[in-house]
């Protein structure tokens, strides 16, 4: 097996790549292949072709005319030579040389491209997606998908090095209750029955643990029929892994190593070791379980300051604040917008105080704002002390239930201070000690992660009596405010799994029908196990400096789930429907 890396190995039609030629190659006879980026003719005796392949552009000089237009595919035969004095192009990597005495062979003609194939021209996304094959030729798409390939290669290498075995699991599978809507695939052989496309290989990998593959990984395709967003597609890729006889710390160690390797492969720099925060601290300090550590503006607790207050607006169980540096200059319209945003996020209201110089009325700064004069002198002083706000700052205060006060201020903190996702340093953080359940809209517990997560042993007794207080051995990895992935120690004993199903209101008969295969497997020697999955589209997007994951996916769908390139989804011919035993009920026109 050769271990030498040969990215530029010649192939039948070419000897070199365009973009890597330098002065060292002067005198070499080369045959290059690519697309015509630009053609210029100077009369009948001199023509230039800028030839592009994925590695870059090189200038080819033809002593005559040339029969090739933009984006035609050509092979150029010629000799590398130094550019004449005064024509060196410092803006081009190959700008010191050119290919002289060229003959150009047209390999294929092309229609004019629907948009210019360079990064300077901004084409509309629908046009780009419809002609994705042309869009992919643009340098930034080439860079992004190649960066992504490096990320995958580094992850695979790290997992193999750590003793993980790559195993593929089926795409046609049974429904997995991880909380997302699944895609269903009709069975031709069993009319009226459906496969589910897996929202993750969760149960398959847990069964691999029972099967004795104690370190499994896969770069897995996951499918969820949920609304699309900038950071979410119907299908996405995860580095999925699971290991037996391992703790939460072990899993976090394996994942950290793989992710840091991938980051280093993509950016050339190894991020520092990943820090850790508990879920409760993340909520308290950043108002979210996806804390963005690139900037400050942490939440400050003022509950105690207002413990005896006469101001009704501040008498809720929790009162918290954030300080916006320089925010005293915000116009009223901006403050109204922030108030609306706070209400949309669930608060009853938002109090704001501008910090101003006291103007001789007393020592230190004073507060200005609709509620300022209702605060006692002591409350004002302590608010300023606690928040550390100085003249020119804005203090935003929310008083509410603890979770609401935190999340509302967390939303405002990100909206006001959050840099674009891709900007600045990459701040990875582990969030640990999640609650086992969240309160659903119907007041019933819902799994905060998924129902296969192991509660803390000391909390098990409260599963039936006070489920919302039960903590789980679940952990998330967050990067710059984006959830990169999540995982947990799993339940491996049948009776604990049944207790959790019971807390979720899943009857035994139903549990048996839906996950009988899992509960059955637990009877045959299930080892303790734990795992994780890292979202690769998000990781690649951030490492590539892109706000939208569509920029790191070859063929993404639009926000409405359409594939503009192929026209999917599309109706099926009647014969195909009949074969599947499906009758379509056309919804009434809206
Ligand atoms: N299956 C989970 C997910 O897709 C990850 C895990 O728990 O391993 O989010």
């Amino acid at each position: 097996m050769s271990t030498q890396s040969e990215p530029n190995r010649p192939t039948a039609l070419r000897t070199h790549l365009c973009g890597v030629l330098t002065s060292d190659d002067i005198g070499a006879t080369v045959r290059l292949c690519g697309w015509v980026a630009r053609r210029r003719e100077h009369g009948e005796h001199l023509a230039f072709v800028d030839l592009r392949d994925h590695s870059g552009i090189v200038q080819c000089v033809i002593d005559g005319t040339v029969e090739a237009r933009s984006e035609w595919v050509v092979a150029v035969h010629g000799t590398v030579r130094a550019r004449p004095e005064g024509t060196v192009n410092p803006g081009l990597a190959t700008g010191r040389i050119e290919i002289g005495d060229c003959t150009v062979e047209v390999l294929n003609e092309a229609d004019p491209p629907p948009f210019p194939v360079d990064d300077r021209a901004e084409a509309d996304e629908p046009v780009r997606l419809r002609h994705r094959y042309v869009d992919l030729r643009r340098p930034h798409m080439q860079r992004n998908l190649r960066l992504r390939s490096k990320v995958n290669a580094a992850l695979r290498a790290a997992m193999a090095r750590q003793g993980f075995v790559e195993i593929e699991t089926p795409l046609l599978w049974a429904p997995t209750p991880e909380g997302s809507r699944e895609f269903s695939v009709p069975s031709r052989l069993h009319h009226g029955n459906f496969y589910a496309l897996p929202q993750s290989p969760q149960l398959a990998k847990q069964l691999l643990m029972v099967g004795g593959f104690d370190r499994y990984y896969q770069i897995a395709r996951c499918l969820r029929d949920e609304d699309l967003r900038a950071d979410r597609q119907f299908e996405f890729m995860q580095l999925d892994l699971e290991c037996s006889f391992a703790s939460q710390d072990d899993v976090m160690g394996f994942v950290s190593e793989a992710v840091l390797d991938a980051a280093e492969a993509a950016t050339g720099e190894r991020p520092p070791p990943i820090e850790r925060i508990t879920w409760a601290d993340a909520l308290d300090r950043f108002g979210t379980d996806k804390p963005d550590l690139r900037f400050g503006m942490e939440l400050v607790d003022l509950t105690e300051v207002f413990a005896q207050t006469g101001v009704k607006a501040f008498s809720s169980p929790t009162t918290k604040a954030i300080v916006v540096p320089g925010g005293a200059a915000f116009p009223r319209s901006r403050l109204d917008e922030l108030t609306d945003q706070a209400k949309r996020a669930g608060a009853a209201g938002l109090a704001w105080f501008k910090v101003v110089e006291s103007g001789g009325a007393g020592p230190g700064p004073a507060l200005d704002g609709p509620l300022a004069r209702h605060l006692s002198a002591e409350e004002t002083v302590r608010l300023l002390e606690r928040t550390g706000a100085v003249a020119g700052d804005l203090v935003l205060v929310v008083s509410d239930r603890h979770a609401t006060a935190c999340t509302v201020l967390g939303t405002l903190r990100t909206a006001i201070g959050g840099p674009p996702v891709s900007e600045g340093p990459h701040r990875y953080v582990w969030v640990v000690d999640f609650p086992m359940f969240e309160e659903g809209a119907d007041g019933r517990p819902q799994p905060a992660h998924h129902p296969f997560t192991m509660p803390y042993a000391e909390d098990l007794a409260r599963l039936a009596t006070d489920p919302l207080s039960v903590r789980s051995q679940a952990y998330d990895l967050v990067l710059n405010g984006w959830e990169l992935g999540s995982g947990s120690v799993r339940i491996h004993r049948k009776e604990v799994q049944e207790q959790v199903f019971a807390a979720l209101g899943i009857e035994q008969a139903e549990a048996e029908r839906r996950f009988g295969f899992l509960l059955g497997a637990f009877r045959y020697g299930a080892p303790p196990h734990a795992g994780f999955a890292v979202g690769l589209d998000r990781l690649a997007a951030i490492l590539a400096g892109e706000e939208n994951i569509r920029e790191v996916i070859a063929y993404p769908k639009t926000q409405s789930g359409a594939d503009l390139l192929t026209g999917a989804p599309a109706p099926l011919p009647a014969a195909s429907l009949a074969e599947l035993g499906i009758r379509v009920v056309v919804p009434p026109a809206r």
Side-chain angles (χ1 to χ4, degrees):
M1 188 176 79
S2 163
T3 50
Q4 213 181 334
S5 155
E6 294 179 290
N8 308 333
R9 185 197 290 192
T11 51
L13 297 193
R14 71 172 163 204
T15 58
H16 292 78
L17 292 175
C18 300
V20 299
L21 294 170
T22 67
S23 304
D24 292 346
D25 298 299
I26 288 173
T29 306
V30 296
R31 189 179 149 96
L32 310 174
C33 289
W35 288 262
V36 174
R38 215 152 77 96
R39 180 196 64 155
R40 302 179 303 285
E41 276 182 337
H42 297 273
E44 285 177 16
H45 301 296
L46 185 61
F48 294 93
V49 163
D50 288 347
L51 185 66
R52 176 189 356 94
D53 64 21
H54 73 82
S55 66
I57 287 183
V58 71
Q59 172 169 289
C60 306
V61 188
I62 300 111
D63 300 324
T65 56
V66 62
E67 222 11 73
R69 303 185 178 284
S70 265
E71 300 310 314
W72 285 27
V73 187
V74 297
V76 175
H77 192 269
T79 307
V80 182
R81 68 187 187 200
R83 286 205 191 191
E85 200 64 36
T87 64
V88 166
N89 178 354
L92 197 64
T94 58
R96 302 193 152 278
I97 53 127
E98 62 187 14
I99 316 298
D101 302 326
C102 290
T103 50
V104 176
E105 181 193 344
V106 174
L107 301 177
N108 209 349
E109 299 183 6
D111 286 351
F115 45 82
V117 184
D118 63 47
D119 283 341
R120 286 179 300 253
E122 236 348 288
D124 279 349
E125 202 185 19
V127 186
R128 291 177 56 201
L129 292 181
R130 207 166 299 129
H131 302 276
R132 191 58 154 180
Y133 38 82
V134 174
D135 192 41
L136 291 176
R137 253 179 246 159
R138 301 210 293 171
H140 89 280
M141 289 307 299
Q142 284 285 327
R143 182 186 60 107
N144 287 357
L145 296 192
R146 284 166 195 279
L147 175 145
R148 190 171 173 148
S149 163
K150 278 192 199 161
V151 167
N152 281 0
L155 293 172
R156 282 209 162 89
M159 296 315 288
R161 192 176 65 236
Q162 299 182 101
F164 284 74
V165 178
E166 182 170 4
I167 299 177
E168 288 125 5
T169 54
L171 271 187
L172 296 178
W173 186 246
T176 318
E178 281 187 71
S180 296
R181 195 181 301 115
E182 289 176 314
F183 283 98
S184 302
V185 179
S187 160
R188 176 179 59 84
L189 297 178
H190 305 277
H191 281 181
N193 290 288
F194 297 82
Y195 301 97
L197 298 178
Q199 48 185 301
S200 88
Q202 183 61 35
L203 297 184
K205 67 176 171 176
Q206 290 194 240
L207 297 183
L208 284 174
M209 297 301 108
V210 186
F213 286 97
D214 56 11
R215 288 188 196 177
Y216 139 91
Y217 88 98
Q218 174 180 200
I219 295 204
R221 187 172 298 279
C222 304
L223 298 112
R224 298 184 188 177
D225 191 0
E226 297 290 335
D227 291 343
L228 283 69
R229 294 192 310 232
D231 63 350
R232 189 192 284 160
Q233 285 271 309
F234 284 151
E235 44 189 307
F236 56 91
M237 303 303 295
Q238 289 187 339
L239 167 68
D240 191 51
L241 60 119
E242 194 76 17
C243 45
S244 296
F245 312 117
S247 66
Q248 164 170 320
D249 284 348
D250 293 324
V251 175
M252 286 162 64
F254 291 132
V255 174
S256 296
E257 188 160 327
V259 168
L260 296 183
D261 276 9
E264 187 175 356
T267 65
E269 236 173 82
R270 192 172 188 82
I274 303 178
E275 54 194 295
R276 232 186 238 223
I277 187 172
T278 64
W279 174 86
D281 277 352
L283 192 67
D284 259 337
R285 290 173 50 196
F286 302 98
T288 172
D289 56 9
K290 298 184 247 309
D292 186 345
L293 305 188
R294 287 172 302 166
F295 66 107
M297 286 177 64
E298 286 192 27
L299 278 53
V300 184
D301 200 294
L302 299 179
T303 310
E304 203 213 317
V305 172
F306 293 105
Q308 316 291 334
T309 194
V311 184
K312 193 150 169 290
F314 293 161
S315 57
S316 298
T318 296
T319 303
K320 292 205 142 210
I322 53 171
V323 177
V324 185
F330 283 5
R332 186 59 194 243
S333 55
R334 180 87 200 272
L335 295 167
D336 290 344
E337 265 167 37
L338 290 173
T339 308
D340 287 345
Q341 199 170 2
K343 286 183 182 162
R344 279 198 306 276
L350 174 72
W352 53 262
F353 299 97
K354 294 182 171 184
V355 186
V356 293
E357 296 292 357
S358 62
L367 295 179
D368 188 15
L371 287 178
R373 65 192 172 81
H374 298 288
L375 303 196
S376 70
E378 195 197 335
E379 284 169 346
T380 304
V381 169
R382 293 190 61 206
L383 179 148
L384 284 165
E385 236 171 51
R386 271 288 166 96
T387 58
V390 295
D393 290 348
L394 175 74
V395 182
L396 300 174
V397 183
V398 175
S399 189
D400 217 303
R401 287 182 341 148
H402 179 72
T404 310
C406 293
T407 50
V408 169
L409 284 170
T411 307
L412 297 181
R413 171 181 177 269
T414 312
I416 300 169
V421 177
S422 54
E423 215 170 75
H426 293 152
R427 293 292 302 269
Y428 297 82
V429 57
W430 285 107
V431 182
V432 298
D433 295 352
F434 274 75
M436 180 78 187
F437 304 104
E438 288 163 354
E439 197 171 342
D442 55 1
R444 294 250 301 260
Q446 302 285 331
H449 184 47
H450 53 54
F452 315 110
T453 300
M454 181 75 101
Y456 270 97
E458 58 267 38
D459 296 5
L460 269 177
R462 293 199 307 278
L463 262 179
T465 50
D466 185 11
L468 292 177
S469 76
V470 174
R471 288 165 309 146
S472 72
Q473 300 185 53
Y475 33 92
D476 274 6
L477 181 58
V478 173
L479 170 57
N480 292 6
W482 269 12
E483 182 190 319
L484 264 197
S486 47
S488 57
V489 175
R490 324 294 186 188
I491 297 168
H492 65 281
R493 293 216 321 268
K494 190 168 179 284
E495 67 279 9
V496 179
Q497 188 64 72
E498 281 167 352
Q499 282 173 42
V500 169
F501 284 149
L504 290 168
I506 302 175
E507 305 280 339
Q508 204 166 344
E510 191 192 345
E512 205 51 54
R513 181 178 59 76
R514 285 169 62 190
F515 330 111
F517 64 97
L518 177 75
L519 298 172
F522 282 177
R523 286 206 295 265
Y524 292 98
H529 57 284
F532 200 78
V534 185
L536 297 185
D537 305 276
R538 291 179 184 177
L539 178 61
I542 298 181
L543 292 176
E546 298 284 1
E547 286 294 306
N548 197 313
I549 59 169
R550 295 199 286 273
E551 298 298 321
V552 294
I553 297 175
Y555 302 111
K557 310 237 173 346
T558 62
Q559 201 95 0
S560 65
D563 182 338
L564 298 182
L565 178 67
T566 64
L572 272 189
S576 307
L577 288 174
E579 200 173 28
L580 293 168
I582 285 187
R583 202 165 55 224
V584 174
V585 181
V586 181
R590 270 190 279 168

